C-alpha cells in the first residue's frame, strides 16, 4: 500500500468479518461507527468510508483532515455529500475525491424493478391489499374491478415475453436489470447521453450486469430529440435509473409519458425530480400510453400524506428503499477494499464523482 493511503477511517457499522477484510488492505483502520472521531485520527486519515451524507459532523474544517484525499460513500448518489458544508468549497473538491458505491446496488434494485413490474402485470398490489385488509379470498372479478381502467384494459394477467424494456440511463443498475429482463425473453433497448454502446466501468460485482454493453439491441441519444422520442415510443416498460443533475431535472414531460405504447409501465429508481408527480398522474389518467407506475423515488420526496399516487390502483410507491439490502454497509466496504487494490497499483480511484456532473 502506498504510504499516502495507509490510514482509513470507517464511520459506519460493519460485521466483524468485513472489518477484518478491510484491515487486511490498509495499514491502519480507525473504526468509529458512532461518527465521533478523535482529532488524532482526523489528522492522519487518508481515506474515509461513510454513509450517504459524507464526512461526519465532527469535521468542520479542512484543517482537521489535512491528509484526506478520498471520501468513499456507501451510496450510489453523491449529491448530498457534495452539497454538505465541508465539501461545497472549491478547495475541498480539489483536495478530496468523492467516490460513490455505484455498482453494489445491483444486488437489490434490479430485482426490485423486475418484481414490481410483475406485481403490476399480475395485479398483486390489488390482490394483496384486499387479502390483508379484509382477511378474505379476493375474487377475480373484484380484483379486476378495483384495478379500475387498468383492469378494464387488461383483465387477465399480463406477461413479460416479447415486451420491449427501455433503460433510461445504462449504468450498473440498468445493465443488471437488462440481464434479468433478458431472461424473460424481453427485447432490450437503452438511451444515454451519446446514444452509443459502451463497456461497463467502475466497480462491478462479477457475474452481474453487461460488461461489454452487448445486451441492448439498439441505443438512443437523450440529447437528440428525435432519437429520444423514438426510444420512448418503443418502451413497453420504461426504467429510469438516472442521477439528479441539471440535465436530468424534469427531463420527462407528461406528453412524453403519454407517447409510450399503450399498456406501458414507468419505473423510476433514480431520482424523483426526473418527472413531476402531476405529470405521472396526468399520463395515467390519459387514454394514451401510460398504464402503470413503480416509484421508489418521487417529486417531492417524501410525497405528502394523502397524495393520490399512494392510492392509485395501478401505482406502487415505496419510500426510496429499493437500494437497501442485508449487509448493506458490508457491501459498500467491498468497494473500499477494491479501492485499496487500485490505489496500491497507482491507478485512479473507482467511481470518482465529477462535482460538475454530479455522477
Amino acid at each position: 500500500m502506498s504510504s499516502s493511503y495507509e490510514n482509513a477511517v470507517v464511520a459506519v457499522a460493519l460485521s466483524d468479518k468485513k472489518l477484518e477484510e478491510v484491515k487486511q488492505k490498509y495499514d491502519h483502520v480507525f473504526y468509529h461507527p458512532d461518527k465521533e472521531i478523535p482529532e488524532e485520527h482526523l489528522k492522519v486519515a487518508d481515506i474515509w468510508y461513510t454513509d450517504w451524507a459524507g464526512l461526519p459532523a465532527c469535521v468542520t474544517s479542512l484543517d482537521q483532515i489535512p491528509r484526506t484525499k478520498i471520501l468513499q460513500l456507501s451510496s450510489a448518489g453523491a449529491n448530498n455529500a457534495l452539497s454538505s458544508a465541508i465539501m461545497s468549497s472549491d478547495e475541498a473538491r480539489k483536495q478530496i475525491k468523492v467516490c460513490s458505491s455505484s455498482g453494489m446496488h445491483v444486488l437489490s434494485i434490479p430485482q426490485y424493478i423486475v418484481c414490481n413490474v410483475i406485481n403490476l402485470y399480475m395485479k398483486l398490489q390489488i390482490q394483496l391489499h384486499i387479502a390483508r385488509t379484509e382477511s378474505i379470498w379476493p375474487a377475480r372479478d373484484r380484483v379486476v374491478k378495483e384495478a379500475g381502467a387498468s383492469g378494464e384494459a387488461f383483465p387477465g394477467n399480463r406477461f413479460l415475453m416479447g415486451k420491449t424494456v427501455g433503460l433510461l440511463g445504462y449504468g450498473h443498475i440498468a445493465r443488471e436489470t437488462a440481464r434479468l429482463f433478458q431472461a424473460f425473453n424481453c427485447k432490450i433497448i437503452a438511451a444515454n447521453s451519446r446514444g452509443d454502446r459502451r463497456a461497463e466501468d467502475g466497480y462491478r460485482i462479477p457475474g452481474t450486469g453487461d460488461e461489454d454493453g452487448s445486451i441492448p439491441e439498439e441505443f438512443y441519444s437523450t440529447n437528440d430529440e428525435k432519437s429520444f422520442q423514438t426510444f420512448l415510443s418503443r418502451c413497453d416498460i420504461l426504467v429510469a435509473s438516472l442521477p439528479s443533475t441539471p440535465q436530468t431535472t424534469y427531463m420527462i414531460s407528461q406528453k412524453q409519458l403519454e407517447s409510450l405504447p399503450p399498456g406501458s409501465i414507468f419505473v423510476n429508481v433514480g431520482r424523483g425530480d426526473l418527472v413531476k408527480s402531476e405529470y405521472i398522474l396526468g399520463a395515467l389518467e390519459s387514454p394514451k400510453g401510460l398504464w402503470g407506475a413503480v416509484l421508489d423515488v418521487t417529486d417531492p420526496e417524501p410525497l405528502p400524506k394523502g397524495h393520490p399516487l399512494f392510492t392509485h390502483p395501478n401505482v406502487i410507491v415505496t419510500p426510496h428503499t429499493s437500494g437497501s439490502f442485508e449487509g448493506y454497509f458490508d457491501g459498500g466496504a467491498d468497494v473500499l477494499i477494491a479501492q485499496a487494490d487500485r490505489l496500491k497499483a497507482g491507478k485512479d480511484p473507482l467511481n470518482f464523482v465529477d462535482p460538475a456532473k454530479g455522477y
Side-chain angles (χ1 to χ4, degrees), residues 231-284:
F231 165 76
L232 293 173
S233 71
R234 293 188 61 191
C235 296
D236 296 310
I237 301 164
L238 173 62
V239 179
S241 57
L242 295 172
S244 178
T245 70
Q247 291 73 35
T248 63
T249 300
Y250 303 130
M251 175 180 175
I252 299 293
S253 67
Q254 180 173 330
K255 183 178 179 181
Q256 287 172 316
L257 290 175
E258 291 174 351
S259 72
L260 296 172
S264 60
I265 290 177
F266 171 58
V267 182
N268 193 3
V269 293
R271 288 296 181 266
D273 60 9
L274 177 72
V275 56
K276 293 176 183 276
S277 291
E278 54 263 39
Y279 293 169
I280 298 174
L281 279 167
L284 285 166

Side-chain angles (χ1 to χ4, degrees), residues 120 125 280-281 284 291-295 308-317:
L120 288 183
Q125 78 284 6
I280 298 174
L281 279 167
L284 285 166
W291 178 76
V294 177
L295 307 171
L309 280 173
F310 284 126
T311 53
H312 191 286
N314 222 36
V315 174
I316 294 174
V317 177

Side-chain angles (χ1 to χ4, degrees), residues 13 17 58 124 129 137 139 157 162 164 180 193 231 233 272 297 308 316 350:
K17 180 176 181 294
C58 64
L124 289 180
H129 176 73
W137 186 282
N157 291 332
T164 297
L180 297 181
S193 58
F231 165 76
S233 71
V297 291
I316 294 174
L350 287 165

Side-chain angles (χ1 to χ4, degrees), residues 185-207:
N185 293 303
C186 294
K187 298 175 183 177
I188 309 297
I189 59 175
N192 56 29
S193 58
R194 299 199 300 263
D196 60 348
R197 195 180 303 274
R198 310 172 197 170
E200 191 166 4
D201 60 6
Y203 177 73
R204 176 176 172 270
I205 297 175

Side-chain angles (χ1 to χ4, degrees), residues 55-67:
L55 292 167
C58 64
V59 181
T60 58
S61 168
L62 292 177
D63 293 336
Q64 295 173 276
I65 51 172
R67 287 182 49 160

Side-chain angles (χ1 to χ4, degrees), residues 7-276:
N7 301 320
V9 174
V10 175
V12 297
L14 299 181
S15 67
D16 293 342
K17 180 176 181 294
K18 189 59 63 176
L19 182 58
E20 285 305 311
E21 289 180 29
V22 174
K23 287 180 177 179
Q24 295 300 312
K25 293 293 183 176
Y26 294 90
D27 292 351
H28 305 100
V29 175
F30 305 118
Y31 185 52
H32 299 288
D34 60 359
K35 298 180 174 57
E36 296 295 330
I37 295 92
E39 288 293 329
E40 58 265 30
H41 292 172
L42 293 177
K43 290 179 181 178
V44 298
D46 298 308
I47 183 170
W48 290 70
Y49 175 41
T50 73
D51 62 19
W52 56 271
L55 292 167
C58 64
V59 181
T60 58
S61 168
L62 292 177
D63 293 336
Q64 295 173 276
I65 51 172
R67 287 182 49 160
T68 295
K69 291 172 282 298
I70 294 178
L71 171 59
Q72 177 63 60
L73 304 175
S74 65
S75 57
N79 47 317
N80 287 291
L82 285 169
S83 62
S84 65
I86 189 68
M87 285 303 303
S88 58
S89 71
D90 291 339
E91 182 183 4
R93 294 180 177 187
K94 183 178 180 181
Q95 174 184 327
I96 303 170
K97 290 185 176 180
V98 176
C99 299
S100 76
S101 282
S102 178
M104 79 169 191
H105 297 87
V106 301
L107 296 175
S108 60
I109 297 179
Q111 67 183 19
Y112 166 95
I113 294 166
V114 175
C115 86
N116 280 305
V117 168
I118 293 173
N119 280 340
L120 288 183
Y121 270 13
M122 309 292 281
K123 302 180 184 62
L124 289 180
Q125 78 284 6
I126 304 293
Q127 298 183 54
L128 293 174
H129 176 73
I130 295 172
R132 292 180 63 84
T133 57
E134 301 182 30
S135 299
I136 62 171
W137 186 282
R140 292 185 185 183
D141 290 347
R142 183 181 172 192
V143 170
V144 172
K145 181 179 179 181
E146 295 209 6
S150 58
E152 293 175 13
F154 296 94
N157 291 332
R158 303 182 65 188
F159 52 83
L160 286 170
M161 179 174 281
K163 300 297 191 296
T164 297
V165 179
L167 289 311
L168 179 52
Y170 203 59
H172 299 290
I173 292 168
R175 288 168 189 255
E176 177 66 357
T177 302
R179 189 181 72 86
L180 297 181
F181 272 121
Q182 188 181 49
F184 288 90
N185 293 303
C186 294
K187 298 175 183 177
I188 309 297
I189 59 175
N192 56 29
S193 58
R194 299 199 300 263
D196 60 348
R197 195 180 303 274
R198 310 172 197 170
E200 191 166 4
D201 60 6
Y203 177 73
R204 176 176 172 270
I205 297 175
T208 68
D210 179 16
E211 189 172 10
D212 60 359
S214 63
I215 292 178
E217 62 181 45
E218 196 161 355
F219 281 82
Y220 298 85
S221 172
T222 57
N223 289 323
D224 181 312
E225 185 177 351
K226 184 176 180 180
S227 176
F228 189 39
Q229 188 54 52
T230 300
F231 165 76
L232 293 173
S233 71
R234 293 188 61 191
C235 296
D236 296 310
I237 301 164
L238 173 62
V239 179
S241 57
L242 295 172
S244 178
T245 70
Q247 291 73 35
T248 63
T249 300
Y250 303 130
M251 175 180 175
I252 299 293
S253 67
Q254 180 173 330
K255 183 178 179 181
Q256 287 172 316
L257 290 175
E258 291 174 351
S259 72
L260 296 172
S264 60
I265 290 177
F266 171 58
V267 182
N268 193 3
V269 293
R271 288 296 181 266
D273 60 9
L274 177 72
V275 56
K276 293 176 183 276

